[in-house]
Amino acid sequence: MLRHRPEGSGHPYSVDTEQRSPATPLVGEATLLGVRADAGMVSVMCTLEWAPDDGSPRTTTELTLERVATTSRGKVTDGGHLASAAARLARAVGGWQVKTPTLRDGGQYRYRFIGTREAGRQERTRWFEFRAAHWEADAGVVRTIGDSRVVPGSIHVLRDGARNRRVRFELALAPGEHVAGFGERYDAVDQRGQKLDSMVFEQYKSQGAERKTYMPMPFAHVVGGSGWGFHVDTSRRVWFDVGASRADAIVVEAEVGEDGPLTVRTFDGTPTEVLTGFLNVVGRAQELPSWVFRLWASGNEWNTQAEVMRQMDLHAAHDIPVGSVVIEAWSDESTFTAFRDAQYTVNEDGSPHQLSDFQFPEDGAWPDPKGMADELHDRDIRLHLWQIPLIKMRPHPHGQAKADARSAIRENVLIREPNPSGGTRPYRNRGWWFPLALMPDLTDERAARWWTDKRRYLVEEVGVDGFKTDGGEHAWGGELVYLDGRLGDEKNNTFPVAYPKAYGALLESAGKAPVTFSRAGFTGSQAHGAFWAGDENSTWEAFRWSMNAGLTAAASGVVYWGWDIAGFSGDVPSAELYIRAVQASTFVPIMQYHSEFNHHRTPSRDRTPWNIADRTGDERVLPLSRAYAQLRERLVPYLERSAAQAVATDRPLMRPLFFEFPNDDAVWSAPTEWMLGDDLLVAPVLEEGTKSSSVYLPEGDWVDVWSGEHIGGGTTIEVATPMEQIPVFTRDEALVEVFTQTT
């Protein structure tokens, strides 16, 4: 085996051993060429040919590759529940690489590899071609809408003699201006001085440290000067240097295709006016029912009907009101349409099932799914089921999963990739989670209906109220081919927008609200359901990262957002971290907890209040969790009104202070304070051992919701933070009663 892929696996942050790097080589620089080979290969050579455009003689260079360590295309985990999936990526192969001579302009390169085995037998790859690219000035490759902030003379295009590859330009950045948005960002609210990009990526934990995100957007606010914002109208990858290299400029570099100039929109005004201009183009949220503001509860080990109902009974017994339960481990882990242990006849043509097609053994995991849904509804609890947008192919599918895979290929509903022997073949997932799975093209309406119709009985007959639309980040590679003919460089970022949209359409077709719960997204995701901040450990650092994520997502137009209270992974959080996280989550749009699968080991790692109380031995956990869950119930009418206002006015529900007070530079000293609706200001406790907090109160008259004390704004105050309270202030004195009443 001798394998070379010029663009590698499509991993946006890792250079694969078998790729060309950079994939678009530059004039005046060398490029790295690599292959993977099986263990029997003892040497690898590369023949590199150069054919000048002027007809001069072709030149040939023979290069000897050196053996190198192979690199992983996926994520090396820390022993969590996905470690086994990552381990399967290991291969008994060797890597070989070589650097070319300095590349020249004005000609065509081609190369191939020749590997030699111990017995002297040789293997050859096909020929690969490229042209070295160079940057040149060209103002015509960028089109601006709105008052142009593009620095004159800064527009350049990267050309390789055959086509444009990238565009680069600068936006003026004035002293004192802060830059926020860019979708969901974990490391900070203000991105000035940072470098980032807009690529949907599954960063399993440590998103703030790695500076990668599930939900990027090439949109930002520039606050502190005249007030403006911008959006780069593309779904291709964009890089931003936000005053990091030069303090007076935002340097933007974007991949481009052959579809005309790159459009850059600018919006002038307050942050709300900027956001309105942006949402007018890309779409905005719709109102979801009030029950989404009640507590959501889940645990990956709630994988039987008996356990789900036991947990709901425990909520009732502990007087902790719950509004939604999410069941992740409900399916057969093969089709993701059938309940585990269900007995049914395989539909060999891949057609959908109905509820009457299934028999549910009394001693099975789910003896009566519809009865369970009905009982949950009688208790005023909504039911959500977990989903993944893939057809699992490891281990080799059988039964209905096998029939569905055959049907997907036959019905042509899959994303495809180039076949080395010519044409295309179904794309096989290159990531570390569900490797080699097939991927339906949910950006195509016909394919999306084919996919969601298999789940229709869950909504219309079982009574499911929503779906946790997990894992929308699996489309890797600019060469992927979608059903409309467009390629992955343009379409991959749009997949996680289409994914919950498809499930929302299914729910709406059954007369239900389009409640989906996603972690991945991109420009346009604002219009499709709710979101959570993704997978994280139970640490204070992750707590702080998650609050940044909520505020930046809100600044980008996401109304319904939450996080896994105190993190979902690893050992349980400390009592203090859990309590502070519960308190903060009471004041974000979606309040929910979740826990990672731990193979039912004891002690339990469930994030239920009673389990945290038992594990930590801290008698404060349960009563304080109960008190804040009950407070959340009392806040639902306020949240419902505030969400409706957010949808109508584009003033975020979880509102960064710079939205409300854009001319007050002091708000940037308190970047993780926020307004919840018009009348609540929240200052979460984000540090361990905090006894008091410095809280900035902007201009206005404020009331401490706990004490009723009136305080003038425009100042920083020191607030005591006993374990039972976090700083919350209101501009509406009537809300004080909501906080002080008891149930």
Side-chain angles (χ1 to χ4, degrees):
M1 180 271 289
L2 196 64
R3 186 177 71 188
H4 172 71
R5 291 194 296 182
E7 296 187 9
S9 67
H11 191 303
Y13 303 105
S14 176
V15 176
D16 298 326
T17 305
E18 73 265 35
Q19 79 173 82
R20 183 174 68 224
S21 179
T24 301
L26 301 179
V27 171
E29 298 182 8
T31 192
L32 185 68
L33 302 176
V35 294
R36 284 181 184 258
D38 60 60
M41 208 70 68
V42 296
S43 68
V44 182
M45 299 290 295
C46 175
T47 300
L48 177 69
E49 294 185 353
W50 156 252
D53 292 339
D54 62 8
S56 300
R58 181 188 301 268
T59 61
T60 301
T61 304
E62 298 292 341
L63 305 171
T64 301
L65 280 71
E66 294 183 358
R67 194 187 296 269
V68 296
T70 58
T71 59
S72 171
R73 301 176 314 185
K75 180 76 176 78
V76 177
T77 71
D78 60 358
H81 77 299
L82 297 175
S84 59
R88 286 197 298 268
L89 291 173
R91 292 170 171 85
V93 295
W96 301 77
Q97 291 179 335
V98 68
K99 276 198 171 185
T100 68
T102 300
L103 301 174
R104 292 178 281 178
D105 198 6
Q108 183 82 21
Y109 284 93
R110 73 170 189 163
Y111 61 96
R112 69 176 178 181
F113 300 94
I114 303 172
T116 303
R117 298 186 176 279
E118 289 183 358
R121 184 168 60 88
Q122 291 187 332
E123 294 181 17
R124 290 173 171 82
T125 67
R126 66 178 178 87
W127 288 98
F128 301 91
E129 296 180 343
F130 70 87
R131 298 178 67 91
H134 64 275
W135 289 98
E136 61 183 63
D138 186 345
V141 296
V142 171
R143 179 175 73 114
T144 59
I145 297 178
D147 291 338
S148 178
R149 304 270 180 164
V150 175
V151 175
S154 70
I155 302 175
H156 290 75
V157 60
L158 182 65
R159 291 193 171 117
D160 65 4
R163 53 160 288 194
N164 296 344
R165 295 289 178 173
R166 295 187 186 183
V167 167
R168 185 168 62 205
F169 61 92
E170 297 176 5
L171 302 169
L173 187 60
E177 288 183 326
H178 305 268
V179 186
F182 296 109
E184 187 179 48
R185 299 289 165 174
Y186 300 78
D187 59 309
V189 174
D190 185 359
Q191 290 291 326
R192 183 159 188 161
Q194 303 297 327
K195 295 181 180 180
L196 61 152
D197 73 343
S198 61
M199 195 70 183
V200 174
F201 185 71
E202 181 192 1
Q203 176 60 48
Y204 177 61
K205 304 193 287 193
S206 298
Q207 297 89 1
E210 297 291 335
R211 310 197 74 252
K212 302 176 179 72
T213 181
Y214 302 97
M215 188 164 52
M217 298 179 197
F219 161 78
H221 299 267
V222 184
V223 185
S226 59
W228 61 286
F230 65 89
H231 178 243
V232 184
D233 272 14
T234 182
S235 55
R236 295 183 174 94
R237 191 175 185 178
V238 185
W239 293 262
F240 300 94
D241 181 326
V242 190
S245 299
R246 285 190 25 224
D248 63 346
I250 302 172
V251 181
V252 182
E253 186 172 318
E255 290 183 345
V256 294
E258 300 181 69
D259 45 4
L262 179 71
T263 298
V264 181
R265 297 178 188 268
T266 58
F267 315 96
D268 291 311
T270 66
T272 298
E273 290 169 335
V274 167
L275 186 57
T276 293
F278 173 52
L279 297 179
N280 284 343
V281 176
V282 305
R284 52 177 48 82
Q286 67 182 82
E287 289 184 49
L288 296 180
S290 62
W291 55 257
V292 304
F293 298 115
R294 303 179 64 215
L295 176 66
W296 296 49
S298 64
N300 259 347
E301 297 186 351
W302 302 1
N303 59 354
T304 66
Q305 182 172 335
E307 181 62 15
V308 168
M309 298 314 299
R310 186 180 80 88
Q311 294 291 345
M312 296 304 99
D313 288 343
L314 285 168
H315 279 84
H318 290 295
D319 200 14
I320 294 176
V322 60
S324 287
V325 60
V326 181
I327 308 178
E328 290 214 359
W330 66 277
S331 78
D332 55 12
E333 296 296 321
S334 175
T335 65
F336 302 101
T337 61
F339 281 86
R340 189 170 72 259
D341 295 340
Q343 298 172 357
Y344 60 98
T345 299
V346 172
N347 286 346
E348 295 292 349
D349 63 354
S351 59
H353 282 97
Q354 297 179 331
L355 182 59
S356 59
D357 295 331
F358 296 96
Q359 291 184 336
F360 302 99
E362 290 186 7
D363 59 350
W366 308 97
D368 186 3
K370 176 171 171 48
M372 175 184 67
D374 291 344
E375 183 176 353
L376 289 170
H377 291 155
D378 289 343
R379 300 188 189 196
D380 199 19
I381 299 171
R382 269 65 181 187
L383 172 62
H384 309 261
L385 298 182
W386 184 85
Q387 289 287 282
I388 192 75
L390 298 166
I391 300 176
K392 188 176 175 181
M393 301 296 285
R394 276 191 174 181
H396 293 301
H398 61 277
Q400 190 60 54
K402 183 178 181 180
D404 288 348
R406 287 199 308 261
S407 173
I409 295 170
R410 184 177 62 252
E411 298 295 329
N412 188 28
V413 297
L414 299 173
I415 298 170
R416 301 182 70 82
E417 63 182 340
N419 192 329
S421 61
T424 63
R425 63 188 181 190
Y427 167 66
R428 304 295 292 270
N429 175 31
R430 301 171 187 170
W432 59 287
W433 192 24
F434 295 106
L436 300 181
L438 302 175
M439 194 166 179
D441 183 358
L442 299 182
T443 71
D444 179 84
E445 288 189 8
R446 178 184 65 87
R449 285 195 302 273
W450 178 91
W451 182 261
T452 57
D453 276 350
K454 295 178 180 297
R455 290 128 177 99
R456 181 169 296 278
Y457 86 94
L458 295 169
V459 178
E460 295 183 344
E461 298 185 85
V462 175
V464 170
D465 300 287
F467 292 95
K468 187 171 184 177
T469 39
D470 198 358
E473 318 88 358
H474 298 297
W476 283 18
E479 78 282 14
L480 302 190
V481 183
Y482 285 73
L483 290 174
D484 64 2
R486 287 186 284 176
L487 301 182
D489 66 332
E490 183 180 5
K491 293 279 286 187
N492 290 348
N493 275 342
T494 70
F495 183 91
V497 182
Y499 174 22
K501 178 183 178 182
Y503 279 78
L506 167 63
L507 290 159
E508 286 185 308
S509 72
K512 297 194 174 188
V515 179
T516 54
F517 199 34
S518 310
R519 69 180 184 188
F522 190 71
T523 306
S525 287
Q526 295 89 340
H528 304 296
F531 299 84
W532 93 100
D535 297 339
E536 253 311 343
N537 282 319
S538 292
T539 67
W540 287 92
E541 188 174 42
F543 183 6
R544 293 187 287 272
W545 289 335
S546 296
M547 297 304 98
N548 290 334
L551 291 165
T552 51
S556 303
V558 174
V559 173
Y560 302 95
W561 177 92
W563 69 303
D564 294 335
I565 289 175
F568 97 124
S569 183
D571 203 0
V572 297
S574 68
E576 182 182 2
L577 172 56
Y578 187 81
I579 291 168
R580 294 306 193 189
V582 166
Q583 292 169 340
S585 295
T586 303
F587 304 102
V588 305
I590 303 294
M591 182 184 187
Q592 67 99 24
Y593 66 77
H594 177 57
S595 55
E596 190 175 36
F597 189 64
N598 192 40
H599 303 279
H600 297 284
R601 300 185 183 100
T602 55
S604 170
R605 288 184 173 180
D606 274 4
R607 265 55 174 177
T608 53
W610 46 91
N611 189 57
I612 301 300
D614 181 65
R615 289 289 310 277
T616 63
D618 193 313
E619 61 184 14
R620 299 170 297 180
V621 170
L622 197 50
L624 287 178
S625 297
R626 178 185 304 115
Y628 276 88
Q630 293 176 352
L631 171 59
R632 176 70 175 208
E633 284 283 294
R634 300 195 297 272
L635 284 171
V636 166
Y638 173 78
L639 290 166
E640 183 180 17
R641 293 193 305 271
S642 297
Q645 182 188 56
V647 171
T649 67
D650 301 324
R651 300 172 70 210
L653 175 55
M654 184 182 180
R655 192 176 309 160
L657 292 188
F658 71 79
F659 257 86
E660 198 81 353
F661 310 96
N663 299 316
D664 184 353
D665 198 56
V667 301
W668 296 97
S669 67
T672 47
E673 293 181 18
W674 64 84
M675 299 292 298
L676 184 65
D678 280 349
D679 296 314
L680 292 176
L681 185 150
V682 184
V685 178
L686 303 175
E687 299 283 350
E688 186 174 14
T690 299
K691 304 300 182 185
S692 66
S693 295
S694 294
V695 177
Y696 179 69
L697 294 179
E699 182 180 0
D701 296 322
W702 300 93
V703 182
D704 184 320
V705 299
W706 308 112
S707 68
E709 178 186 0
H710 288 253
I711 305 168
T715 185
T716 297
I717 63 173
E718 196 69 18
V719 181
T721 54
M723 193 61 72
E724 64 269 17
Q725 292 179 2
I726 66 167
V728 182
F729 300 85
T730 183
R731 294 191 288 200
D732 180 0
E733 196 165 4
L735 281 172
V736 173
E737 183 179 350
V738 174
F739 284 79
T740 55
Q741 75 183 72
T742 58
T743 301

